[in-house]
Amino acid sequence: MLAIVRKQLRNHPALIPLFIFIGGGATMSLLYLARLGLRNPDVCWDRKNNPEPWNKLGPNDQYKFFTVNMDYSKLKKDRPDF
């Protein structure tokens, strides 16, 4: 399979950027899915020891990927403990 792809790339060098960008996009999407699965508080991998991980987040924990003009260290607790 790889030999056929290598042969096509030698015959058609204009396909090289296509393979690079598709491979990069696939890699970035897999990394983002891994980040969502490991860092998102809505995902629970261990139901016995930590059934509700979103309740253990403090008000100054940042779990969003990107925030604009938001300083999480200055937030105060405005919700009750469960």
Side-chain angles (χ1 to χ4, degrees), residues 59-75:
N60 55 358
D61 291 337
Q62 179 182 358
Y63 62 91
K64 291 186 176 184
F65 187 68
F66 181 72
T67 56
V68 179
N69 297 333
M70 186 70 167
D71 188 13
Y72 283 93
S73 64
K74 295 181 181 177
L75 292 178

Side-chain angles (χ1 to χ4, degrees), residues 1 14 16 21 28 31 44 48 52 57 60 63 65 72:
M1 180 72 184
I16 293 173
F21 282 106
M28 288 191 317
L31 288 173
C44 182
K48 291 184 179 179
E52 296 176 344
L57 285 176
N60 55 358
Y63 62 91
F65 187 68
Y72 283 93

Side-chain angles (χ1 to χ4, degrees), residues 19-81:
F19 277 89
I20 291 172
F21 282 106
I22 288 178
T27 303
M28 288 191 317
S29 65
L30 287 174
L31 288 173
Y32 183 67
L33 283 174
R35 184 192 178 279
L36 283 177
L38 297 174
R39 303 276 299 173
N40 197 350
D42 295 332
V43 178
C44 182
W45 292 98
D46 188 12
R47 290 187 182 180
K48 291 184 179 179
N49 294 329
N50 193 8
E52 296 176 344
W54 51 87
N55 283 338
K56 296 198 187 301
L57 285 176
N60 55 358
D61 291 337
Q62 179 182 358
Y63 62 91
K64 291 186 176 184
F65 187 68
F66 181 72
T67 56
V68 179
N69 297 333
M70 186 70 167
D71 188 13
Y72 283 93
S73 64
K74 295 181 181 177
L75 292 178
K76 296 178 183 175
K77 185 176 180 179
D78 60 349
R79 56 184 180 242
D81 291 328

